[in-house]
Amino acid sequence: MNPSELKRFEEFLTDFVRELNQVSDERGVILVEGKRDAIALRNIGYKGEIVRIASLKQRKSRGLLERANMVVILTDLDREGRQLAARYVRLLIHDGIKSSLEYRKRLLIASRRTFLHIENLRRFAHLNKDLI
C-alpha cells in the first residue's frame, strides 16, 4: 500500500473496529480461526467476545455462539479462510444461529488483498488508542 492507501485503510479499520464493538454490545460474537487472530483483534481495539474455531468443542464457546444475536465470521481472507467461512455459515444456519460474512467481505475489499491473514491486523495496534 502506498501512504495514502495506508491512511485510508487505517481510517477504515478504526471505523470497522468501532462497528464490531457495537455488534458486540448487541450480543454479537466474532468467530476466528486461531489464537493469533483473536490476539490481533484485541490489539486493534475489539473488546467483545471472540470464539476460536479450535475451541468450538468446548461448552463455553458453543454457549457463546448459541446465545449470540449474531456471529460475525472473520476467517482469513485467503482460499482456505473462504472455505472455512462457507462451512461455518452452513453449520451455524443448521443450528439456527444467525451469522454474517459482511465484515469479512468489507475487510477483504478495504485491504485490497495486501494481507490475507487476520493475525496481520496486529500491525495496526497503534490505532487502538483512537478507540478509547
Side-chain angles (χ1 to χ4, degrees):
M1 285 185 188
N2 67 42
S4 77
E5 290 173 332
L6 183 60
K7 176 84 171 137
R8 273 194 306 270
F9 182 71
E10 288 178 342
E11 290 169 359
F12 160 82
L13 196 56
T14 299
D15 292 339
F16 183 79
V17 173
R18 281 190 182 115
E19 288 179 37
L20 289 177
N21 282 325
Q22 186 174 7
V23 169
S24 172
D25 291 344
E26 297 164 4
R27 288 191 18 238
V29 173
I30 294 184
L31 179 65
V32 297
E33 291 180 47
K35 184 177 183 177
R36 289 183 293 208
D37 299 329
I39 291 169
L41 288 174
R42 293 284 183 233
N43 287 344
I44 62 170
Y46 178 69
K47 296 171 177 63
E49 296 287 354
I50 300 173
V51 173
R52 293 178 290 120
I53 288 174
S55 71
L56 283 177
K57 292 183 180 174
Q58 297 173 2
R59 190 177 323 172
K60 179 182 177 188
S61 294
R62 234 12 234 172
L64 285 172
L65 293 183
E66 290 167 356
R67 288 187 301 277
N69 281 341
M70 168 73 67
V71 176
V72 174
I73 298 174
L74 274 184
T75 54
D76 287 344
L77 306 175
D78 58 6
R79 184 172 154 233
E80 182 182 340
R82 185 176 61 245
Q83 291 170 344
L84 278 171
R87 177 178 179 213
Y88 282 95
V89 164
R90 285 190 305 272
L91 289 172
L92 292 167
I93 287 171
H94 179 267
D95 291 345
I97 300 170
K98 186 176 176 184
S99 63
S100 173
L101 292 172
E102 173 193 348
Y103 294 91
R104 185 181 178 279
K105 290 176 187 174
R106 288 176 47 209
L107 186 58
L108 177 64
I109 291 166
S111 72
R112 301 176 141 223
R113 293 185 142 311
T114 56
F115 70 88
L116 297 175
H117 302 281
I118 300 299
E119 68 186 68
N120 291 338
L121 290 174
R122 70 181 181 267
R123 293 179 20 201
F124 300 96
H126 62 278
L127 300 176
N128 189 355
K129 67 179 176 10
D130 296 333
L131 295 170
I132 298 172

